[in-house]
Amino acid sequence: VVVGAGFGGMSVAQTLRKAPVDVLVLDRNNYNGFWPLLYQVATGIVETQEIAYPVRSLLRKQKNVDFRLANVRAVDFDAKRVMTDSEAIEYDYLVLAGGSATNYFGNDGLAAHTFGLKDVEEADRLRNHILSAVEAAARTDDWNERRSLLTFVIVGGGPTGVELAGQLSMLLHRTMPREFPNLDLGVARVILVNASAGVLESFPANLQAYARRRLDRLGVELRLDQSVTEVEHGVVRLGDGSTLEATTVVWAAGVRACDLAGTIGVSVGRAGRVEVTPTLTLPDRDDVYAIGDMAYLEGFKGGAYPMVAQVAMQQGRVAAKNIVAHLQGRRAKTFSYFDKGQMAVIGRRAAVMDAFGLRLRGVTAWLGWMGLHILYLHGFRNRLIVMLDWLLAYASRTRSAGIITRPEAQTHVERLQTSRQDRAA
Ligand SMILES: Cc1cc2nc3c(=O)[nH]c(=O)nc-3n(C[C@H](O)[C@H](O)[C@H](O)COP(=O)(O)OP(=O)(O)OC[C@H]3O[C@@H](n4cnc5c(N)ncnc54)[C@H](O)[C@@H]3O)c2cc1C
């Protein structure tokens, strides 16, 4: 039984393709999500279904696998049973690959008053909110109100925060002015707040500096060495006591293991990740594996393996091979990571890439970024449509997903404005 049909879980199922086993994949969603393009859903470049692919379609050619739409809430390790919302499912081997969730570090206010960007639902909600805020700005004559509606704060200077900030700034300053001729979008601000002194800090210093210059050129304001202590009623309070009035606040500053990791009664490490042995099993159970974002294993640059897709996929392959080895009475392999590197895109024709021994920036890195992301997307149709969307966004500066599909987003924006006014009064 494999819990989670993400990067890690699918890698397990597909590696077991020819093994003499029956595989059952469980996921609370019926799709496999390609999270690296979530920020493009949030900024209207691509549509939700282009970065999500039905699990059953992905597995349809594999004879020894079945899928069940199910939310797993507990595991009885002694009875070898997984408990879902509706049934108990027995297993011989279990792979936990439930991924991660947004980490608000126990601050309920941040969770309630900011937008996360962890799945298609959240990306879609954020896109609707951004579009609704700009529409509300076009309706009001009140300058203060307009400024707060057009101020977008993104917290977190990692790849997600940087990519979102760059694209959002382009949406506000290059795409929307043609669609809102009577709204002065020159007052729109995208502010990227980061607790440490730089952005993209896992990249080499020269690429970090390039990213900062590009963000600056795109008009993104950087607030570095600043933590966000409170967000409420459209007001963001920073560590130095200053405040920003913003109707949109995105939290991209923390990741922790999925909720399941905390509910199954196993030992967890930093960020609530399940501690595993180098062969990826739980310390006291050789029939239970944990992989990907959900698993905690040290061995990468003096710390734990990072929460990235390559780790999840490579761990999935090792877990699958170790299950077969266990069945055949062979020794299990320990996990060793082949680091393919990292990349991030910062707007038009600009990206940074620290991969395969190459340190690239600018157009070359941007082309490399596009090529690799298209390669890893599932399905010919999705690849084709995403390429067309990119071409459209690049050539005409329009976006394919500019429709408000959630009327409640407008009500939410109006409520925020009212509470901001009440507070000011
Ligand atoms: C916005 C964003 C951008 C990213 N960009 C990059 C990038 O550029 N490069 C990179 O390498 N990595 C990137 N990542 C990280 C990468 O997506 C993750 O490291 C990777 O998805 C981890 O794979 P996984 O299998 O552990 O989890 P996931 O791929 O998240 O899969 C977990 C699955 O488990 C399911 N699940 C969770 N709980 C339950 C439950 N209780 N019951 C049933 N099913 C459950 C979920 O629905 C999900 O399908 C990004 C992540 C985000 C959010």
Side-chain angles (χ1 to χ4, degrees):
V1 170
V2 180
V3 179
F7 282 97
M10 292 306 288
S11 156
V12 176
Q14 287 163 343
T15 308
L16 289 172
R17 190 171 50 245
K18 293 192 177 142
V21 295
D22 291 318
V23 184
L24 177 64
V25 178
L26 308 174
D27 201 297
R28 59 186 174 199
N29 298 313
N30 77 335
Y31 58 81
N32 167 275
F34 190 73
W35 312 139
L37 291 184
L38 272 183
Y39 80 95
Q40 296 206 353
V41 172
T43 49
I45 297 179
V46 302
E47 308 227 22
T48 312
Q49 63 273 22
E50 292 162 26
I51 66 153
Y53 203 85
V55 181
R56 287 184 184 278
S57 302
L58 278 176
L59 295 174
R60 72 182 191 282
K61 289 191 181 146
Q62 193 172 328
K63 295 270 184 296
N64 66 345
V65 67
D66 196 3
F67 171 73
R68 214 169 285 178
L69 184 63
N71 180 45
V72 174
R73 51 181 177 77
V75 181
D76 182 340
F77 294 110
D78 293 330
K80 297 180 73 129
R81 269 201 300 251
V82 169
M83 258 66 76
T84 74
D85 282 346
S86 57
E87 60 182 330
I89 297 169
E90 293 191 352
Y91 65 83
D92 294 316
Y93 294 91
L94 176 66
V95 184
L96 298 167
S100 52
T102 304
N103 196 350
Y104 295 100
F105 305 101
N107 187 329
D108 294 340
L110 293 179
H113 298 289
T114 65
F115 287 85
L117 192 60
K118 278 301 289 177
D119 55 31
V120 288
E121 163 79 13
E122 288 189 343
D124 191 55
R125 234 162 37 89
L126 177 56
R127 182 179 60 86
N128 273 275
H129 179 83
I130 292 168
L131 296 172
S132 300
V134 181
E135 288 292 349
R139 279 196 305 268
T140 181
D141 292 329
D142 180 328
W143 195 88
N144 282 331
E145 194 171 325
R146 188 180 307 147
R147 191 156 168 89
S148 136
L149 284 162
L150 293 179
T151 299
F152 300 82
V153 174
I154 297 162
V155 192
T160 300
V162 166
E163 291 182 332
L164 179 64
Q167 269 308 329
L168 185 54
S169 191
M170 286 183 27
L171 174 69
L172 293 164
H173 296 300
R174 297 184 188 205
T175 302
M176 284 181 157
R178 293 197 308 190
E179 294 163 5
F180 291 83
N182 298 320
L183 175 65
D184 176 14
L185 279 154
V187 301
R189 299 168 77 193
V190 177
I191 304 167
L192 184 64
V193 182
N194 199 22
S196 51
V199 295
L200 297 183
E201 287 189 298
S202 57
F203 286 79
N206 64 329
L207 299 185
Q208 288 182 39
Y210 172 80
R212 283 180 67 163
R213 285 198 303 277
R214 292 299 307 192
L215 287 170
D216 191 48
R217 264 173 66 177
L218 288 171
V220 175
E221 294 174 41
L222 291 180
R223 295 283 177 98
L224 302 176
D225 265 331
Q226 284 287 345
S227 52
V228 168
T229 55
E230 191 186 350
V231 181
E232 217 175 346
H233 308 302
V235 180
V236 182
R237 190 171 299 282
L238 301 179
D240 64 359
S242 62
T243 55
L244 295 164
E245 299 216 344
T247 306
T248 310
V249 186
V250 183
W251 185 258
V255 187
R256 60 166 175 86
C258 60
D259 291 339
L260 187 62
T263 61
I264 51 178
V266 295
S267 169
V268 295
R270 280 190 72 169
R273 297 166 81 187
V274 173
E275 284 177 355
V276 292
T277 65
T279 55
L280 305 177
T281 61
L282 299 194
D284 50 352
R285 310 225 170 237
D286 60 7
D287 55 348
V288 182
Y289 297 74
I291 59 167
D293 284 5
M294 186 177 178
Y296 183 89
L297 178 65
E298 291 188 354
F300 183 77
K301 297 181 181 169
Y305 286 101
M307 291 157 110
V308 294
Q310 274 301 327
V311 169
M313 289 192 286
Q314 292 179 33
Q315 288 189 339
R317 286 196 282 275
V318 171
K321 284 179 183 163
N322 282 349
I323 288 172
V324 177
H326 193 264
L327 275 171
Q328 296 173 344
R330 286 186 287 112
R331 276 175 65 129
K333 274 171 90 173
T334 57
F335 175 66
S336 73
Y337 180 46
F338 175 55
D339 185 6
K340 293 186 179 167
Q342 50 181 342
M343 45 192 10
V345 67
I346 319 127
R348 225 168 128 84
R349 286 187 304 231
V352 287
M353 181 173 178
D354 177 23
F356 309 108
L358 297 170
R359 289 181 173 178
L360 303 174
R361 62 188 195 198
V363 180
T364 329
W366 184 65
L367 291 171
W369 179 93
M370 286 200 295
L372 275 176
H373 281 70
I374 288 292
L375 196 71
Y376 277 105
L377 262 181
H378 287 301
F380 175 74
R381 180 186 169 278
N382 281 1
R383 287 182 187 152
L384 190 69
I385 296 180
V386 167
M387 277 196 291
L388 285 174
D389 286 342
W390 287 352
L391 194 66
L392 184 79
Y394 181 79
S396 69
R397 299 192 179 189
T398 55
R399 312 227 164 177
S400 53
I403 292 167
I404 296 172
T405 50
R406 294 170 181 250
E408 70 271 18
Q410 295 180 59
T411 324
H412 179 64
V413 166
E414 278 159 21
R415 241 193 346 255
L416 272 173
Q417 283 313 98
T418 313
S419 76
R420 192 190 66 81
Q421 282 159 3
D422 289 350
R423 189 184 145 275

